[in-house]
Amino acid sequence: MKRNEQTPIIQRSMFSWVLEGNGKLQALLLLVIVVTVFARVLPLEMQKRVINEAIKLRSTDLLMIYCGIYLGSVLLASGLKYLITLLQTVIAQRVLARMRKQLYQHILTLPLSFFRKTQPGLVVNSLVTELTTAGTFAGMAIAVPVTNVLTLLAFAGYLLWLNWMLALISLTIYPMVLYLVPKLQRRANRANKERVDTGRDMSDKITESVSGIHEIQANGAFAIENRKFEAITDKMERIRLKWTLFKDGVKVTNNLFTNLGPFLIFIVGGYLSMKGQLGLGALVAFLSAQEKLYDPWKEIIQFYQVYQDASVRYERTMSYFDAEPEFALTPEGREPLDLEGRLEVEDLSFVTDDGIRLLEGIHFTLEPGQQLGLVGFSGSGKSTLAQCVGQLHNYSSGSIRLGGQEVAALSKQDMTRNMSFVSQSPFIFDGTIEDNLLYGCAAANTDKDSAGADGLPSLDDRIAILHQTGLFVDVLRFGLNAKLLEEQHRELRDTVVRVRNSFQSSYGKALADHVEFFDPDRYLYYASIADNITFSASNREEFATEALASNRYFLDFLVASDLKRPLMNLGLELARQTVEVLGDLPPEAVFFEQSPLEPQELPDYKELVRKLKSKRLHQLDGATQEKLLDVALRFQPGVHKLVGFPQILEDLILEGRSLFRERIAEEDPEAFKFYDMQAYISSQSILNNILFGRPKTSHPKAQEKINQNIIQLLIEEDLLETIVAIGMQFQVGSKGDRLSGGQRQKLAIARAMLKKSRLMIMDEATSALDNNSQSRIQNLLENRWKGKSTLIAVVHRLDIIKNYDQIMVMKAGKIGEMGKYDDLIAKKGMLYELEFGRK
């Protein structure tokens, strides 16, 4: 066990996984197999005895005894066979899980250079698909050969016991099979290796095309990419054809010879039986045993094929990832070091595996807390230098010492404890904002001054870093837009209702021009007609606002409340006016702001209006009536000004609101949550619950005023941190795609700063931020981090480096000049050219 744990996974044989952690299960499996083999042979003897003894002697008692034993043996064998399969599956899945975990752990430690030449699809295919057969083999490795060899020996022994001559004749076919099958299998193995390699090429090509789809479509390079993929596909077709022919050839050969067995038994056994040298019961038992002899033989052949396939895939997978980490992962015999921020770089050079020299003769020193700005044209080596200092590359020669320790000799854990890195295109992991914010701290488990019980920064520190990096407002918004579950947030929901009442009593009059608060006795001009009728939030999809026009229950209510016809008339008027006024304009959203119709709906409603010139409303089919109702139910009088809102319809809707509430409360009370000043609305966000109304305008100043008042109340109720904590549970999506580019960069910067590392490296970390956000981060670095954390920053905006302690201008992998900003500008050298030469 220890030897396997110390041996790198890429050097382990496939057989080394069979017993690791599965010794007891394999022993149990062997015991079950022995009993199973006995249970499979016993029915053959019972067949013989039923014919030769029970039937011949006409003994009912013997017949019942032998049949009972036969039945018991069959049931026992079936149950044990299921148990064997179950144990095999458990072992196989355990081994597969271990393989995947260990290979994944190994892959994560490989040098960055490995991933630059490796497509993600290959890694995915290897972990998800290629290892599966090896795991399956591990489950079969003992059970299948032992079961079937023992079964073969047991059946062969039983055949010899019945009639040695007949047994020898029937067994003569197997040496021929043992000679031919391996020859065919070797051909199949060669084709299988080609198939695996070509499959990886195909996976790489697909991954490359999907990753570069923007470039393909921008250049219209469909034919080029199709030709590449077609070539790989044609090659795969040829290889799979050859592989299938040889693989199936093994099965055909095996079936051919094994089917010859009964032929020999019929001739020889039939002759011996006619001569009285073999009893009829013995012949029947012999035929049954001969037939059952094929099953274990076929399973052995199939096992052999699985072994060959698994062996090829396993060896190919391990050989592809046969690389070693450039740095030790953990320190040996000591705790990770806490290093000072002094950085010394002497005669540093870096040469790629292809012999390209990216850095040469780099030499500088930074005292703890100093800040270095790296500038230069693209390709000058700025990012490469930053990555070498951050131990992302193993430099070729020279020295980098952090706190007096050689960086190349430090473990990854040492560097994680003392360094934070922010890249130009930071990766945000699927999960919550909080998961990503704490990612670096969780890896290093540092920040001992303010760590909570779990060893991670406290909530106050997390909120503080969100404030400092400009993410606080975004996270607060995420929190306010969250929905509270009753079983998890019962007390908080009650508090939100109390805040709602305070909000309206404190700011209701001041915000009257900006918010239309819910009032059961008043019509809501900035809500849709559907919302005005229901005056509630739906709890089920079929009662969602957009589904009401086709909801049979709601349509019946409209008829009963005399609302259907006036609403259809309103829908018709809305369609006519929209077509008349906007029909010839471009289908852009800005033109449709005063109509409930969407631009893409205009062609359908044009056709509808054309039909209505010759038809009455009652002559319309159900689908057309539904369209008219749908647009009417979306109508908001305060927003959609193309059509006036009749007072009589307003009065009818208010009457209908009361009737609807009574009716739904009696017939389906769980369908809606009615707006009640003292009740929390589960289907609505925290913000909507506090606002309890509809904004009358989307003007930024009005929104800002509403938000400020809400935040003030949250502070007064001591709820601000709670809402931000909820906002930190916002799911960012795959690669953070639910966040903007600027939000992703701010989150990455916050993630790095939260660690409070002695060394911080920022590789164009603010490139996606607007000017105000960049200035905010720069002020933060200069005012809060200067003197506390040594900073190396690759920058593209030269106006933000004026206060750096040192500026390094790089060119072609070398230091062009280095010094303070004012001194370098005064020299009118390379920095001066970068700063002013392009203006």
Side-chain angles (χ1 to χ4, degrees):
M1 186 77 68
K2 288 184 179 180
R3 181 180 61 82
N4 285 343
E5 287 176 354
Q6 294 172 356
T7 303
I9 184 174
I10 53 175
Q11 297 176 12
R12 292 184 59 176
S13 70
M14 188 169 63
F15 286 98
S16 68
W17 299 93
V18 174
L19 291 176
E20 182 185 319
N22 297 306
K24 292 181 179 179
L25 281 179
Q26 296 285 20
L28 175 62
L29 196 55
L30 287 173
L31 178 62
V32 175
I33 287 169
V34 172
V35 179
T36 304
V37 171
F38 174 77
R40 292 181 68 180
V41 175
L42 189 57
L44 300 176
E45 179 64 17
M46 292 305 102
Q47 279 185 349
K48 186 188 78 172
R49 295 194 179 193
V50 165
I51 296 173
N52 286 352
E53 297 180 18
I55 296 177
K56 186 176 182 180
L57 298 175
R58 300 179 182 275
S59 172
T60 304
D61 292 340
L62 287 176
L63 179 64
M64 297 304 294
I65 291 171
Y66 293 153
C67 286
I69 296 173
Y70 182 96
L71 178 60
S73 300
V74 170
L75 293 175
L76 178 62
S78 298
L80 293 176
K81 180 66 176 175
Y82 178 78
L83 180 58
I84 290 172
T85 302
L86 180 61
L87 290 172
Q88 281 182 236
T89 303
V90 171
I91 293 170
Q93 293 306 313
R94 280 186 177 182
V95 169
L96 180 59
R98 286 196 190 97
M99 284 183 182
R100 283 174 171 163
K101 289 175 184 177
Q102 292 188 29
L103 183 58
Y104 183 74
Q105 291 170 6
H106 173 75
I107 291 171
L108 291 183
T109 66
L110 296 180
L112 292 182
S113 57
F114 173 86
F115 294 98
R116 289 197 177 94
K117 60 184 180 183
T118 302
Q119 290 284 2
L122 185 144
V123 179
V124 173
N125 190 52
S126 297
L127 286 167
V128 175
T129 304
E130 298 298 334
L131 288 179
T132 304
T133 50
T136 302
F137 168 77
M140 302 169 62
I142 291 179
V144 173
V146 170
T147 300
N148 292 291
V149 168
L150 285 179
T151 304
L152 277 172
L153 292 175
F155 285 162
Y158 185 71
L159 292 176
L160 288 169
W161 180 69
L162 287 174
N163 189 292
W164 66 269
M165 182 174 65
L166 196 59
L168 290 178
I169 291 173
S170 65
L171 293 173
T172 54
I173 60 174
Y174 292 103
M176 290 183 282
V177 178
L178 290 173
Y179 172 75
L180 289 174
V181 166
K183 290 190 116 182
L184 290 171
Q185 188 63 52
R186 282 194 291 272
R187 299 276 186 93
N189 289 347
R190 285 197 292 269
N192 192 27
K193 290 179 181 178
E194 294 181 55
R195 180 185 66 85
V196 172
D197 292 340
T198 307
R200 284 181 173 157
D201 292 341
M202 179 178 285
S203 178
D204 289 347
K205 180 62 211 152
I206 294 170
T207 303
E208 181 185 61
S209 297
V210 172
S211 302
I213 191 66
H214 291 87
E215 202 66 28
I216 293 171
Q217 294 199 1
N219 289 280
F222 308 109
I224 295 174
E225 297 305 318
N226 285 335
R227 283 196 296 272
K228 293 178 183 178
F229 186 73
E230 287 168 3
I232 298 175
T233 304
D234 291 342
K235 183 180 178 182
M236 176 63 85
E237 179 186 3
R238 293 191 298 271
I239 292 171
R240 287 191 67 90
L241 180 61
K242 182 168 64 172
W243 175 61
T244 303
L245 288 174
F246 284 121
K247 184 180 70 168
D248 290 345
V250 173
K251 294 180 181 178
V252 170
T253 302
N254 179 58
N255 290 336
L256 172 64
F257 281 100
T258 53
N259 287 331
L260 289 175
F263 169 75
L264 296 175
I265 298 303
F266 286 140
I267 290 181
V268 179
Y271 176 78
L272 293 175
S273 182
M274 287 187 291
K275 293 295 184 179
Q277 299 177 15
L278 184 67
L280 182 61
L283 179 58
V284 172
F286 205 101
L287 285 169
S288 296
Q290 174 71 29
E291 182 181 355
K292 292 182 182 297
L293 198 63
Y294 305 150
D295 293 336
W297 179 253
K298 287 179 181 179
E299 287 191 27
I300 288 175
I301 295 297
Q302 290 172 358
F303 170 75
Y304 180 67
Q305 289 185 314
V306 170
Y307 161 68
Q308 295 293 339
D309 186 26
S311 179
V312 169
R313 288 171 179 257
Y314 183 83
E315 290 174 7
R316 277 287 193 269
T317 298
M318 295 306 166
S319 65
Y320 199 89
F321 298 107
D322 190 2
E324 294 296 328
E326 290 181 308
F327 306 97
L329 301 184
T330 57
E332 290 189 16
R334 61 173 174 81
E335 291 294 314
L337 299 173
D338 286 317
L339 304 172
E340 292 185 355
R342 179 178 171 82
L343 186 68
E344 303 165 275
V345 178
E346 296 180 2
D347 198 25
L348 180 70
S349 295
F350 176 70
V351 182
T352 67
D353 295 337
D354 300 326
I356 301 172
R357 185 173 293 275
L358 298 181
L359 297 175
E360 184 176 0
I362 305 297
H363 183 99
F364 67 90
T365 299
L366 288 178
E367 296 299 329
Q370 284 193 323
Q371 298 181 340
L372 169 67
L374 296 178
V375 299
F377 291 109
S378 178
S380 60
K382 308 183 298 297
S383 294
T384 303
L385 174 56
Q387 290 169 358
C388 284
V389 173
Q391 210 193 52
L392 296 179
H393 292 307
N394 194 2
Y395 39 96
S396 306
S397 61
S399 173
I400 301 177
R401 289 190 296 277
L402 177 62
Q405 299 290 326
E406 188 66 36
V407 166
L410 292 173
S411 69
K412 280 291 182 183
Q413 206 170 77
D414 291 318
M415 291 299 293
T416 301
R417 175 71 65 87
N418 294 279
M419 184 268 298
S420 298
F421 195 103
V422 188
S423 64
Q424 180 178 359
S425 301
F427 194 91
I428 302 301
F429 294 90
D430 189 18
T432 66
I433 287 178
E434 184 176 57
D435 293 337
N436 280 277
L437 184 64
L438 297 175
Y439 191 79
C441 293
N445 201 17
T446 57
D447 195 14
K448 301 172 183 176
D449 294 334
S450 57
D454 56 358
L456 297 174
S458 66
L459 179 60
D460 288 341
D461 288 328
R462 300 174 202 182
I463 292 176
I465 205 68
L466 293 177
H467 263 298
Q468 293 166 18
T469 54
L471 256 181
F472 179 83
V473 173
D474 296 307
V475 176
L476 177 61
R477 179 167 51 85
F478 294 145
L480 286 171
N481 287 327
K483 297 177 182 179
L484 299 179
L485 301 177
E486 184 174 1
E487 57 274 15
Q488 295 180 7
H489 304 102
R490 193 180 303 276
E491 292 184 8
L492 181 56
R493 288 156 60 101
D494 293 339
T495 305
V496 169
V497 172
R498 188 171 68 250
V499 172
R500 171 200 297 166
N501 285 276
S502 298
F503 180 71
Q504 288 204 16
S505 62
S506 301
Y507 304 107
K509 291 183 179 179
L511 294 175
D513 292 336
H514 305 309
V515 180
E516 185 177 41
F517 294 104
F518 292 153
D519 185 334
D521 299 320
R522 293 178 55 196
Y523 191 91
L524 304 171
Y525 292 94
Y526 291 87
S528 68
I529 286 180
D531 290 334
N532 267 282
I533 294 173
T534 63
F535 198 69
S536 60
S538 63
N539 293 327
R540 295 203 292 266
E541 289 185 7
E542 64 266 28
F543 286 111
T545 301
E546 58 273 14
L548 289 178
S550 58
N551 183 288
R552 178 50 52 191
Y553 181 92
F554 188 75
L555 292 175
D556 290 342
F557 167 77
L558 292 181
V559 173
S561 59
D562 296 325
L563 279 171
K564 183 175 180 180
R565 189 166 189 84
L567 287 179
M568 288 177 60
N569 277 314
L570 176 63
L572 175 59
E573 184 63 18
L574 285 165
R576 283 174 175 165
Q577 290 297 328
T578 302
V579 169
E580 182 178 337
V581 176
L582 305 176
D584 296 327
L585 294 176
E588 297 178 9
V590 65
F591 297 120
F592 286 77
E593 290 177 352
Q594 295 192 12
S595 170
L597 287 179
E598 299 291 337
Q600 65 272 17
E601 295 177 316
L602 189 59
D604 290 340
Y605 280 92
K606 278 185 176 180
E607 179 63 22
L608 188 151
V609 170
R610 187 189 64 78
K611 286 181 180 179
L612 285 170
K613 289 180 180 179
S614 59
K615 288 186 178 182
R616 299 286 184 179
L617 285 176
H618 70 275
Q619 296 175 315
L620 298 177
D621 57 51
T624 305
Q625 290 185 16
E626 183 180 318
K627 280 191 173 185
L628 290 176
L629 280 174
D630 184 46
V631 70
L633 290 172
R634 284 187 256 158
F635 178 63
Q636 300 177 35
V639 177
H640 306 133
K641 302 298 180 69
L642 274 181
V643 173
F645 187 51
Q647 181 64 45
I648 187 171
L649 182 54
E650 178 181 330
D651 295 337
L652 278 173
I653 290 172
L654 286 175
E655 289 180 13
R657 176 190 295 178
S658 178
L659 178 60
F660 182 79
R661 184 163 191 162
E662 292 175 6
R663 182 169 178 172
I664 202 74
E666 179 180 345
E667 298 177 358
D668 194 354
E670 300 301 320
F672 290 88
K673 179 72 173 180
F674 292 101
Y675 295 145
D676 183 339
M677 194 65 182
Q678 305 307 319
Y680 190 90
I681 308 166
S682 299
S683 61
Q684 298 292 305
S685 67
I686 296 173
L687 178 62
N688 287 342
N689 267 281
I690 295 174
L691 193 61
F692 206 65
R694 295 294 169 87
K696 294 182 177 181
T697 175
S698 59
H699 194 280
K701 288 186 177 180
Q703 292 293 325
E704 181 64 21
K705 186 174 182 180
I706 294 171
N707 292 339
Q708 286 178 355
N709 291 333
I710 290 177
I711 291 173
Q712 181 60 39
L713 269 177
L714 293 176
I715 293 173
E716 292 173 4
E717 292 284 346
D718 197 23
L719 273 181
L720 193 63
E721 287 189 355
T722 302
I723 303 300
V724 173
I726 292 172
M728 283 194 279
Q729 302 310 309
F730 177 77
Q731 292 287 334
V732 300
S734 176
K735 300 180 183 178
D737 60 4
R738 296 184 67 193
L739 302 177
S740 67
Q743 288 171 334
R744 289 196 291 270
Q745 277 205 329
K746 289 177 186 177
L747 182 54
I749 294 169
R751 176 167 66 194
M753 289 183 172
L754 193 59
K755 283 178 68 177
K756 300 181 181 178
S757 303
R758 304 291 177 83
L759 172 64
M760 188 182 304
I761 301 174
M762 304 180 73
D763 187 2
E764 297 197 34
T766 60
S767 58
L769 301 182
D770 56 69
N771 290 338
N772 289 336
S773 296
Q774 285 199 30
S775 298
R776 183 190 191 108
I777 297 299
Q778 189 56 41
N779 289 333
L780 179 63
L781 291 171
E782 292 178 5
N783 297 323
R784 285 185 174 268
W785 291 94
K786 198 164 189 177
K788 296 179 181 178
S789 181
T790 305
L791 173 67
I792 295 180
V794 179
V795 296
H796 65 288
R797 278 183 52 187
L798 301 184
D799 59 322
I800 66 174
I801 61 173
K802 294 179 179 180
N803 295 323
Y804 276 52
D805 298 292
Q806 295 286 331
I807 309 297
M808 180 187 295
V809 185
M810 298 191 66
K811 183 177 182 180
K814 299 180 180 180
I815 298 177
E817 60 181 15
M818 185 172 177
K820 291 187 177 294
Y821 178 86
D822 292 338
D823 296 339
L824 295 179
I825 292 296
K827 286 173 57 178
K828 295 190 176 181
M830 296 173 65
L831 181 64
Y832 183 89
E833 182 183 350
L834 285 170
E835 177 76 7
F836 300 106
R838 58 188 178 186
K839 291 185 178 179

